[in-house]
Amino acid sequence: MMDVARLAGVSHQTVSRVLNEHPNVSEQTRLKVQAAIAELGYRPDRAARALVTGTSKVIGVVTQNTALYGPAMMLTAFEEAALATGFAVNVGSVRNLDERSIADAVERHLDQRVAGLVVIAPVASAGPALAQLPEHVPLVTIDGDPERTSTLVTVDQVAGARAATEHLLAAGHETVWHISGPSDWFDAAGRVRGWESALRDAGREIPPLLTGDWNAASGYRNGQLLARLPEATAIFTANDHIALGLLRALNEHGRRVPEDVSIVGFDDVPEAEYFTPPLTTVRPDFDAAATATLELLLAQIEQEGTADAARRTIAPSLVVRKSVAPPPA
């Protein structure tokens, strides 16, 4: 800051006022300081600023180190929303969402004086760690345990699964089979509940649940069984990658999609519209979830962590393509 002041021919207090957008600075002085900042490549030290002012413009995020589409897109959407409001995001990735890993990541964030925390915690193993966090720390959980009385933002998994199942029933199928995600994921459990409730409300038989692992290999493995069942004419998969593996298994057994079997996925990955056939799927609104998370977190920051627990549930939408048709005669 002293270097900027010397180059601009002003005091370091004036540089500070320009950086803080103080109104009592002439436009000519502001332009001189901004030119010096640009020439020197000066960047304010966020940690030092937090120590001086007692505030921080950094949000700490704890998430699993994963390439899975849903968590990755949620993180990207939140980073964009935070940056648009002037906050930087410090991401602490952990190998597993267990108590020790989350606690360590949170401690690292708190040591850096972050303004608040966001934890993307879609699995049951994260619960014990979240229960131990200091109460005064502004915190929002994304896709966490719906039973916890804490501030939570989540996509309505039940509604999305119901929409997928009802779409297949509306096409004329007697029932719908389901390949779920891992049982310890809240997203997977919600999608199972939505699938079951849609069938139950329609008075249809609920077939045995098949469990996947979010990847195409599990869709292919379960598809080897479903391809041999002529009564399996409609299948809802817990995500689009499972659907991709299922498509290959059905093709290898000579079962055509959608002429013989109809499929609906979940997530609307960018490749879904280029599957053969283009995949009908459920699209979560990651941008809306990120915006809601930021709004709730900023409310807590403004009230120094004393805001009441709140909950936002974001509705997904059904994207209709060409993988659903009436059942074969």
Side-chain angles (χ1 to χ4, degrees):
M1 189 181 292
M2 297 300 294
D3 292 337
V4 172
R6 279 191 293 269
L7 183 60
V10 299
S11 68
H12 72 275
Q13 292 94 336
T14 299
V15 175
S16 178
R17 284 194 288 270
V18 171
L19 290 171
N20 291 309
E21 300 180 355
H22 197 283
N24 294 335
V25 179
S26 71
E27 187 62 22
Q28 181 180 3
T29 300
R30 189 183 307 278
L31 291 173
K32 285 198 302 182
V33 171
Q34 290 173 341
I37 287 172
E39 183 175 337
L40 294 174
Y42 171 70
R43 296 291 182 272
D45 186 329
R46 293 181 183 273
R49 177 184 172 86
L51 287 170
V52 171
T53 65
T55 61
S56 169
K57 296 290 285 185
V58 181
I59 296 170
V61 177
V62 179
T63 185
Q64 190 171 17
N65 184 13
T66 177
L68 289 173
Y69 181 76
M73 285 300 298
M74 190 67 76
L75 173 60
T76 299
F78 180 77
E79 286 184 297
E80 292 176 352
L83 290 172
T85 59
F87 278 84
V89 174
N90 188 359
V91 181
S93 296
V94 297
R95 186 178 297 275
N96 298 301
L97 286 171
D98 55 48
E99 185 171 0
R100 183 70 265 159
S101 299
I102 292 177
D104 288 345
V106 167
E107 280 300 316
R108 290 194 296 272
H109 283 316
L110 294 180
D111 286 345
Q112 297 172 26
R113 296 177 178 266
V114 296
L117 292 170
V118 171
V119 181
I120 302 175
V123 295
S125 59
L130 297 177
Q132 300 301 318
L133 293 181
E135 292 185 2
H136 69 280
V137 176
L139 168 70
V140 178
T141 306
I142 299 178
D143 284 341
D145 185 354
E147 302 301 320
R148 276 182 52 81
T149 55
S150 59
T151 300
L152 173 70
V153 173
T154 184
V155 172
D156 195 335
Q157 313 294 344
V158 174
R162 283 189 65 95
T165 306
E166 290 168 352
H167 182 68
L168 289 162
L169 294 177
H173 297 274
E174 286 298 315
T175 191
V176 178
W177 293 68
H178 181 44
I179 305 175
S180 78
S183 60
D184 61 335
W185 281 65
F186 299 119
D187 292 1
R191 293 168 198 180
V192 170
R193 290 198 302 275
W195 163 70
E196 289 178 336
S197 65
L199 291 177
R200 191 178 298 113
D201 291 349
R204 305 300 177 87
E205 178 185 355
I206 301 177
L209 177 66
L210 303 174
T211 303
D213 195 23
W214 296 134
N215 55 44
S218 65
Y220 179 76
R221 183 176 64 251
N222 283 294
Q224 296 295 319
L225 168 64
L226 291 169
R228 294 180 171 88
L229 301 177
E231 65 270 27
T233 63
I235 304 167
F236 163 48
T237 64
N239 76 350
D240 295 345
H241 289 102
I242 294 174
L244 178 60
L246 173 63
L247 282 167
R248 175 179 169 181
L250 293 172
N251 180 68
E252 289 179 354
H253 286 79
R255 299 197 69 185
R256 301 166 299 165
V257 177
E259 293 84 356
D260 301 319
V261 181
S262 291
I263 300 174
V264 176
F266 205 112
D267 276 348
D268 193 27
V269 299
E271 301 84 2
E273 63 179 317
Y274 299 101
F275 287 4
T276 303
L279 183 67
T280 294
T281 185
V282 177
R283 176 188 295 160
D285 193 337
F286 296 113
D287 290 337
T291 299
T293 300
L294 187 60
E295 288 175 354
L296 292 175
L297 186 64
L298 293 182
Q300 290 191 49
I301 291 171
E302 290 172 1
Q303 299 181 46
E304 298 182 350
T306 62
D308 293 335
R311 186 156 300 195
R312 298 277 183 88
T313 302
I314 308 301
S317 58
L318 184 70
V319 180
V320 178
R321 296 193 177 103
K322 297 182 179 180
S323 62
V324 176

